Amino acid sequence: MALNASARLALAMISISICVLFLAAGFLYAWLSNDLPAIEQLPVLLNRQNGELLQPTRLLDRSGQQVLATLGNSGERRTFLSVNPDEPGHFSLQLLRLNVAVLDPGFWADDGVDATDWLDPQAHTLAERLVKELLLADEADSPRTALRMKLLARQVTLRYGRTQVLEWYLNSADFGHNTFGAESAAQLYLGKSAADLNIAESALLVSLIESPALNPVDAPAAALENQQQLLKTVAAAGVLSSEEFNQASAQPLTFAPVPASDGQGNSGFVQYAEQQLGDLLGANRVARGGLDVITTLDATLQAQLDCTTQRALLQIVVGDQAGANDAQACPAAAYLPTQQFDWQGSADLLSASLILDPQNGQILAYKAPTSLTNTPSIPNFQAGSLLSPFVTLAAFARGSSPATLVWDAPATLPTDLDSAANPDGTFHGPVNYRLALANDYVVPISGVFNQIDAQTIWTFAASTGLTAPKAQNAGAEILFGGGQTDLFQIAQAYATLAASGSKYGLYDPQSEQIEPAAILQVRSSNGQVLLDASQPQQSAVVSTSIAYLINHVLSDQSARWTSLGHPNVLEVGKTVAVKLGQVQGKDQVWTVGYTPQTLVLTWLGMSASENSTSNLDARMAAGLWRAMIQYTTADQADEGWAKPLDVNEVQICSPSGMLPTAICPNITSDVFIAGNEPTQADTLYEKMEVNRETGLLATVFTPAALVEERTYLNVPDSLRSWAESAGLAVPPQGYDAISTAQTNPNIQISSPSLFAPIAGKVTISGTANLEDLASFGVQFGQGINPDTWQQIGESQNAPVVNGTLAEWDTTGLEGLYALRLNVVQQNNQIQTAVIQVTVDNTPPQISILSPQDGAEVTPNAGVVLLTANASDNVALARVEFWLDGKKVEERSVAPYTSIWTATRGKHTLQIKAFDSAGNESDSASIQFTVLP
């Protein structure tokens, strides 16, 4: 009978629904099974003869020949036991009994899956535990993971059977304290085989599966408490008889003594490598074993670092200069310089070092903090002045250069650091970045720090690998005595400079950063390559040009002669960039130096418990550094860093960084990024004429015989008091006495005022009013006592009282001039009035340092720092900040910064500068965007 239309429609809908269900099921299965681990891995991992997990993870040197360390417990043997009691090596029946009863009561009946909640990612059966711990260990808990776990658990149970699942699980379970497998756990905690465990001992091991951290080594009391609780639980469930429970709960457990560590290899490097390996593969996979890890460590170089460190400490603590005698056993020690130190501290002086290849970020050698007495200690590494170059990086990114003038004086210190000082305990006046960095002058760098906000500085530094200061939200005080860090961060930050601004290393998925590499390759014990990290990851984080400027400064040997003399311990006969670092308390000193191919970092400090009053000398760390850099670079060509195309070398006057003048005492060359070269002649040094008897500035009234020309430093007003006390050549503030015979009220120039700066067209006002006036005129002459005078305009014969005497066009004139009013009487007698003025027709220079044009800016605490660089050949009057066409701030003294409460969106910034003569300069307008 034919179906009616409704029936046909219903049948079609049912067919479509079935197809949709099949399609949905297919998509669901594909979604679940995508990248699903193969269960065939389990026999490879847990084969009773040669299973990968029966071998602990081994760390080997970069040659793959020398074992650095075996991860796990000392003396541990991973032995595979059987579930079958008929085989010679089998588990205790009591252990099997309690394991199943506690962890999976329905084990012998179910299919390996707990069907009560399909979306629960927690494992409830032994099969689920097995696949989650061995096949899905890297997956985060989620409903998808739950379904994948149950799918795999059922496959394993069907393929290999319940007995095999139980056997595999007991031979691989985590029992705490880096111990896997019931046999290893029984041996470690109880000193006996898992084949011989009684009920009480079996209860202990089963309780550890649930709480591996609460084991007899790390938490013995908690382990016993959990064992007793488990016995009560299984007794209540009827698994144990009353007699069995009473006997087991009363039986005392004797824990085996914990074996001492075998101390294999370089423990500091091993810890770092193990952590990095865990981040890459998962700590669970590493600890379970079966891995051969080829590390980056050069065993030969490490041996040289070890023995040279010992010799260097002996040289300091004991005064033993016999390093050269160890040339055969320790060739690197032969490079130790001969240095004498009157060390009064203890022998617990600590030394730590790291050697790294900047071109790939690989750690070649690492010496954790050690002393002659091998006293264990974990020092609190403080970077101190070693951070100075990273403040300078931010300044260079804003247009400064190695030649930029900075002042090293107390007044430049931040207000909350008024007691801080340079490591040498003194101030050095006008210096530039080059001298400040090379000689470890921290005070001027701290002044720069306050002109650039901390977030900008530490964000820039963090890109090189130096993340600690940013995390600590550190201020300028970190440069003097703070900045908790570690050798790996410091080494990577400086290695980024060595590699011309590129950071190399190994990407760490946990930190999401490229970090110094300790791993080259990971193989299974069967030879399968699981990870190949021989090719480094790279990230260009600093422009090549800025990195070049820093490297040029730190490799400038002559720049260090001011503080270290010549020759000195940092001079090794090659182009090497070097930075000393120290903290204000003098209890930690650093040296980091590098070529493009090799970086060596050394640190010296006191142990945390040492209260020695002996100050460390920065050269102490430099001695070991010198030996290791000379040893590691002995066969390297002296190449240095190639100058980028956008870096130019310009002759300048040091330390102002401006163009040389005839009176500049120190003309040298320096490097600049194109566009940042100086364009103005030096104004730091200034020639002035003074009365040699009074020392005051000479005027037209000073007798010519007493006028003497002297060169002075143009010191900012805020530093004048300090400069005078420091004996710097500060210009006199007063002018030589003005003759009262020249001050006739009827013959005077009232405007411009005496010594006023002027520019352009100037109206000269005053009075020329005598009863017998014949004529008057105004003249000008160059200098204090002009040799020649020129008439301004025409002579006049009508008296003037407080009116215009002349109009003077100063276009084309610059410098000190005298103005003279000549009044001629009817009897041809001439009376005069004279003043001096400074003609300044040169406008100030102004540029925007930050933000950069086109920059995207994130506010710090709701504000953005606007920064300008302004200067003038005479005197700068004010700097105005114009944002979006409106003036937002005016500054009359340096630093020329404005803290602007930011608003989102695009903005236009222009900065205007005015000098005391009225000249104006406007910067180019820039646009920037404030991000949310």
Side-chain angles (χ1 to χ4, degrees):
M1 185 178 66
L3 296 174
N4 59 31
S6 297
R8 287 198 301 273
L9 178 61
L11 184 60
M13 293 298 293
I14 292 172
S15 299
I16 291 172
S17 298
I18 293 173
C19 290
V20 168
L21 287 175
F22 274 112
L23 284 173
F27 279 118
L28 176 62
Y29 184 81
W31 176 64
L32 290 177
S33 60
N34 183 41
D35 296 327
L36 192 69
I39 63 174
E40 289 78 12
Q41 292 183 52
L42 293 174
V44 176
L45 295 173
L46 293 167
N47 182 282
R48 67 179 59 201
Q49 277 78 37
N50 58 1
E52 291 182 2
L53 298 189
L54 297 184
Q55 304 297 326
T57 293
R58 299 189 307 166
L59 301 185
L60 303 109
D61 75 333
R62 66 187 299 116
S63 72
Q65 302 301 310
Q66 182 171 328
V67 177
L68 303 177
T70 299
L71 304 185
N73 297 295
S74 179
E76 175 187 10
R77 292 183 59 196
R78 300 190 178 188
T79 303
F80 192 97
L81 298 186
S82 173
V83 170
N84 186 348
D86 295 330
E87 295 190 13
H90 63 82
F91 289 112
S92 158
L93 295 179
Q94 301 298 346
L95 178 62
L96 297 174
R97 173 189 178 193
L98 292 185
N99 183 70
V100 171
V102 173
L103 301 181
D104 192 358
F107 175 74
W108 296 108
D110 62 33
D111 59 358
V113 174
D114 176 18
T116 57
D117 187 350
W118 286 92
L119 300 181
D120 181 7
Q122 300 303 313
H124 295 287
T125 70
L126 292 178
E128 289 176 353
R129 288 174 182 268
L130 181 69
V131 298
K132 184 173 185 181
E133 292 175 10
L134 296 187
L135 302 181
L136 298 174
D138 294 335
E139 291 195 18
D141 286 348
S142 68
R144 180 174 183 266
T145 300
L147 292 172
R148 285 159 63 88
M149 174 185 69
K150 294 181 184 299
L151 179 62
L152 287 173
R154 190 170 190 276
Q155 289 178 358
V156 169
T157 303
L158 292 176
R159 171 78 67 85
Y160 299 109
R162 297 183 181 90
T163 299
Q164 185 66 82
V165 168
L166 177 60
E167 187 172 273
W168 278 344
Y169 183 71
L170 278 176
N171 279 289
S172 65
D174 182 0
F175 289 88
H177 199 73
N178 210 23
T179 304
F180 298 90
E183 175 65 7
S184 295
Q187 294 288 355
L188 175 66
Y189 299 132
L190 300 168
K192 62 192 306 184
S193 172
D196 303 322
L197 300 179
N198 56 37
I199 293 177
E201 295 164 339
S202 298
L204 172 69
L205 260 61
V206 173
S207 70
L208 294 179
I209 295 176
E210 295 286 67
S211 302
L214 303 179
N215 58 74
V217 173
D218 300 315
L224 288 174
E225 183 178 340
N226 287 343
Q227 182 248 11
Q228 289 293 314
Q229 182 59 49
L230 185 140
L231 288 173
K232 292 177 183 178
T233 301
V234 294
V239 176
L240 297 180
S241 66
S242 297
E243 181 181 354
E244 287 176 320
F245 169 72
N246 292 333
Q247 183 178 358
S249 59
Q251 181 177 350
L253 293 181
T254 302
F255 295 146
V258 180
S261 172
D262 58 13
Q264 276 186 302
N266 183 325
S267 60
F269 177 81
V270 167
Q271 290 173 9
Y272 181 85
E274 185 177 1
Q275 178 181 343
Q276 189 166 76
L277 190 61
D279 290 345
L280 294 170
L281 298 180
N284 178 278
R285 178 65 187 92
V286 175
R288 285 184 178 278
L291 305 176
D292 279 345
V293 182
I294 309 299
T295 70
T296 61
L297 195 80
D298 184 323
T300 301
L301 182 58
Q302 181 67 47
Q304 291 301 307
L305 179 60
D306 291 342
C307 65
T308 307
T309 298
Q310 185 81 357
R311 293 299 320 163
L313 286 172
L314 282 171
Q315 187 182 74
I316 297 168
V317 176
V318 183
D320 186 346
Q321 302 293 329
N325 296 334
D326 294 336
Q328 184 173 359
C330 189
Y335 290 104
L336 284 169
T338 300
Q339 298 187 102
Q340 295 287 347
F341 302 104
D342 185 19
W343 177 247
Q344 300 298 322
S346 77
D348 286 338
L349 180 65
L350 297 173
S351 176
S353 306
L354 189 148
I355 302 176
L356 180 143
D357 185 340
Q359 298 303 320
N360 53 33
Q362 294 175 8
I363 301 168
L364 303 177
Y366 173 66
K367 186 71 173 174
T370 186
S371 70
L372 291 174
T373 60
N374 291 317
T375 303
S377 177
I378 302 177
N380 183 14
F381 292 112
Q382 300 291 326
S385 65
L386 208 61
L387 300 175
S388 297
F390 301 97
V391 179
T392 308
L393 275 178
F396 286 176
R398 282 157 177 74
S400 295
S401 73
T404 299
L405 174 67
V406 287
W407 282 88
D408 184 10
T412 60
L413 280 164
T415 54
D416 56 344
L417 290 174
D418 55 6
S419 63
N422 291 310
D424 63 1
T426 188
F427 300 96
H428 308 88
V431 295
N432 53 29
Y433 280 105
R434 181 176 296 276
L435 292 173
L437 285 179
N439 296 286
D440 211 22
Y441 299 159
V442 189
V443 170
I445 302 300
S446 71
V448 173
F449 187 102
N450 275 9
Q451 296 177 33
I452 309 172
D453 65 286
Q455 183 179 14
T456 298
I457 291 171
W458 298 134
T459 297
F460 206 84
S463 68
T464 69
L466 195 64
T467 59
K470 183 180 180 182
Q472 297 162 17
N473 194 26
E477 72 281 352
I478 196 175
L479 303 175
F480 294 92
Q484 185 170 354
T485 186
D486 59 54
L487 269 65
F488 300 102
Q489 282 200 22
I490 295 291
Q492 185 174 50
Y494 275 92
T496 300
L497 301 178
S500 297
S502 289
K503 181 167 62 173
Y504 291 90
L506 192 58
Y507 180 78
D508 190 309
Q510 299 300 316
S511 66
E512 299 183 340
Q513 299 289 333
I514 293 176
E515 297 184 347
I519 309 299
L520 285 178
Q521 191 182 77
V522 181
R523 301 191 297 252
S524 70
S525 57
N526 290 328
Q528 180 186 2
V529 176
L530 304 180
L531 174 69
D532 188 347
S534 56
Q535 294 301 312
Q537 277 90 18
Q538 175 191 4
S539 176
V541 297
V542 177
S543 81
T544 304
S545 304
I546 293 176
Y548 178 81
L549 297 187
I550 293 288
N551 293 335
H552 195 274
V553 170
L554 296 184
S555 59
D556 185 350
Q557 292 188 10
S558 61
R560 294 190 287 266
W561 293 350
T562 302
S563 57
L564 295 179
H566 173 64
N568 60 67
V569 67
L570 300 184
E571 296 176 0
V572 297
K574 284 187 176 180
T575 304
V576 181
V578 195
K579 180 70 178 72
L580 297 178
Q582 46 204 312
V583 297
Q584 199 164 33
K586 299 287 187 181
D587 59 352
Q588 296 191 38
V589 291
W590 304 75
T591 303
V592 56
Y594 51 87
T595 67
Q597 299 83 25
T598 304
L599 177 142
V600 177
L601 169 64
T602 58
W603 172 90
L604 241 65
M606 304 306 301
S607 64
S609 60
E610 177 67 29
N611 295 317
S612 173
T613 58
S614 297
N615 290 336
L616 296 177
D617 187 318
R619 295 172 301 144
M620 292 177 175
L624 176 58
W625 170 85
R626 176 190 175 101
M628 295 312 302
I629 198 74
Q630 287 190 289
Y631 176 78
T632 53
T633 64
D635 297 327
Q636 290 181 11
D638 186 8
E639 297 176 349
W641 293 269
K643 185 170 71 173
L645 294 177
D646 64 341
V647 172
N648 298 320
E649 190 167 334
V650 177
Q651 196 174 59
I652 53 103
C653 180
S654 179
S656 74
M658 305 171 79
L659 296 176
T661 63
I663 63 172
C664 175
N666 185 22
I667 298 175
T668 184
S669 296
D670 218 322
V671 289
F672 300 83
I673 295 176
N676 294 337
E677 301 93 337
T679 58
Q680 183 178 344
D682 176 72
T683 59
L684 179 63
Y685 296 100
E686 186 175 6
K687 269 193 175 180
M688 296 182 176
E689 292 181 316
V690 298
N691 184 322
R692 68 167 179 266
E693 290 185 351
T694 66
L696 297 174
L697 293 171
T699 69
V700 290
F701 312 110
T702 304
L706 297 179
V707 175
E708 181 177 272
E709 196 172 58
R710 296 177 183 173
T711 301
Y712 294 98
L713 278 173
N714 194 355
V715 178
D717 290 341
S718 60
L719 301 180
R720 183 178 181 88
S721 177
W722 170 81
E724 289 175 340
S725 66
L728 298 185
V730 179
Q733 287 184 305
Y735 289 90
D736 206 20
I738 300 172
S739 172
T740 56
Q742 306 287 329
T743 58
N744 185 337
N746 291 315
I747 304 171
Q748 63 176 354
I749 299 173
S750 58
S751 176
S753 59
L754 188 63
F755 308 121
I758 59 174
K761 293 183 179 181
V762 180
T763 298
I764 302 173
S765 303
T767 298
N769 183 28
L770 295 178
E771 291 182 1
D772 58 346
L773 175 72
S775 65
F776 74 85
V778 179
Q779 298 175 319
F780 71 92
Q782 187 172 17
I784 290 178
N785 288 295
D787 295 326
T788 60
W789 295 86
Q790 298 181 50
Q791 179 82 18
I792 301 174
E794 301 293 331
S795 295
Q796 302 180 51
N797 51 28
V800 174
V801 178
N802 294 326
T804 299
L805 301 175
E807 296 288 344
W808 184 26
D809 187 354
T810 67
T811 302
L813 303 180
E814 288 285 337
L816 187 66
Y817 283 83
L819 285 175
R820 184 170 69 183
L821 170 61
N822 293 328
V823 179
V824 182
Q825 297 174 270
Q826 295 291 345
N827 60 4
N828 289 326
Q829 295 267 333
I830 299 176
Q831 296 192 43
T832 63
V834 182
I835 67 167
Q836 283 189 301
V837 294
T838 299
V839 178
D840 176 14
N841 282 309
T842 301
Q845 291 193 333
I846 181 72
S847 61
I848 298 174
L849 294 180
S850 65
Q852 301 280 318
D853 190 20
E856 293 183 340
V857 180
T858 301
N860 181 18
V863 301
V864 168
L865 192 69
L866 312 177
T867 308
N869 183 27
S871 61
D872 187 70
N873 62 322
V874 177
L876 200 62
R878 69 186 188 279
V879 171
E880 296 178 352
F881 293 80
W882 289 74
L883 196 66
D884 301 328
K886 296 181 181 179
K887 186 170 76 169
V888 296
E889 186 160 356
E890 179 179 304
R891 300 276 293 182
S892 58
V893 295
Y896 300 109
T897 59
S898 173
I899 300 175
W900 170 59
T901 302
T903 56
R904 289 181 57 185
K906 290 186 177 180
H907 299 277
T908 300
L909 174 65
Q910 185 178 43
I911 302 180
K912 304 179 179 183
F914 302 83
D915 65 18
S916 55
N919 298 303
E920 176 185 350
S921 290
D922 299 343
S923 74
S925 295
I926 64 110
Q927 289 189 329
F928 64 97
T929 303
V930 176
L931 301 177

